[in-house]
Amino acid sequence: MARTREFDHDRRRQIYEYVERNGAVDPETARQQILVQPDSSSKPARSGAELKASVPMSSQEFDHHVSILERDGHLEVRDGKLRVAFPIDADSTTVELDDVEATVRPARQEDIAGILGVIETIASDESYVVARRLAADVTRDEVLLRHNESENRIFFVATVDDDAVGWLHVEVVQSPNMDHTAELTVGVLDQYRDGGLGSTLMERGLDWARSAGVQKVYQNLPETNEPAISFLEANGWTTESTRDGHYRVDDELVDEVQLAVWLED
């Protein structure tokens, strides 16, 4: 199962949480922004005495804590920025389409604008309700990848000539009774469909979910989203249940179709 991260030092937790909230940060900027109470060898202040002003860590102390966080697999430095380290296959997968070559890879914070653009384009169709909610969540957070006590979210991106044309998102349910499950969304721009790009994104996402200890992945869709339902069924998903009139689409009440796939070891 996906687990929250544990830290043996408060300042390491502070550094991790700052990086996790911001997605990708310059190390020196992080050091200056993370304020701590200065260490003191003097006697404790008398009751009512003012606390010392918070200050940044020294460069030596900050670098020491970052080194420990890297060693323990919590953070990594890539392209000169601190990032949350995810246990993920970083290799790219190439997909040959009719007249172009697409690449599928794990997303990074710098992909946020491109991925949001694709999600919002596809979610303009009211039948993709979950994607609209996802776009709102990412826009609010201003961060793609999350790993904290309440969220564990990963993205893959499909690109053509470095422009985002598709995405896949997996979010593990952070509940003790449901942390064997995860929600998945996937989408590809119309002009790049039917060439295996969506299936490649799906394969990468399910591989990551399996490695994270997830046993079941699900997605809920309005029954009017027939292309998405057909795509999931073609990739081995099954309908578990429906809920009558769960969505309002184009001023009509529409049933929800709940689909899922169980992951084998």
Side-chain angles (χ1 to χ4, degrees), residues 114-131:
I115 288 176
L116 277 174
V118 175
I119 296 175
E120 289 167 354
T121 297
I122 293 174
S124 61
D125 176 353
E126 290 192 6
S127 66
Y128 211 157
V129 178
V130 176

Side-chain angles (χ1 to χ4, degrees), residues 78 88 105-109 111 115 144-145 154-157:
R78 184 158 31 93
I88 191 169
R105 58 169 173 78
R108 46 185 180 264
Q109 178 64 17
D111 296 313
I115 288 176
L144 273 181
L145 313 179
I154 192 81
F155 275 84
F156 289 84
V157 62

Side-chain angles (χ1 to χ4, degrees), residues 22-23 25 49 63 92 94 100 104 153 178 201-203 215 232 239 248 259 261:
N22 290 279
V25 296
D63 291 345
S92 299
T94 299
V100 296
V104 173
R153 183 174 74 204
M178 295 181 63
L201 282 162
M202 177 76 70
E203 182 179 352
Q215 296 173 287
L232 292 174
T239 298
R248 186 182 296 278
L259 301 103
V261 62

Side-chain angles (χ1 to χ4, degrees), residues 116 133-143 146 151 153:
L116 277 174
R133 187 193 71 208
L134 175 63
D137 290 345
V138 173
T139 299
R140 180 198 64 230
D141 294 347
E142 298 182 340
V143 174
R146 304 309 306 261
E151 295 177 282
R153 183 174 74 204

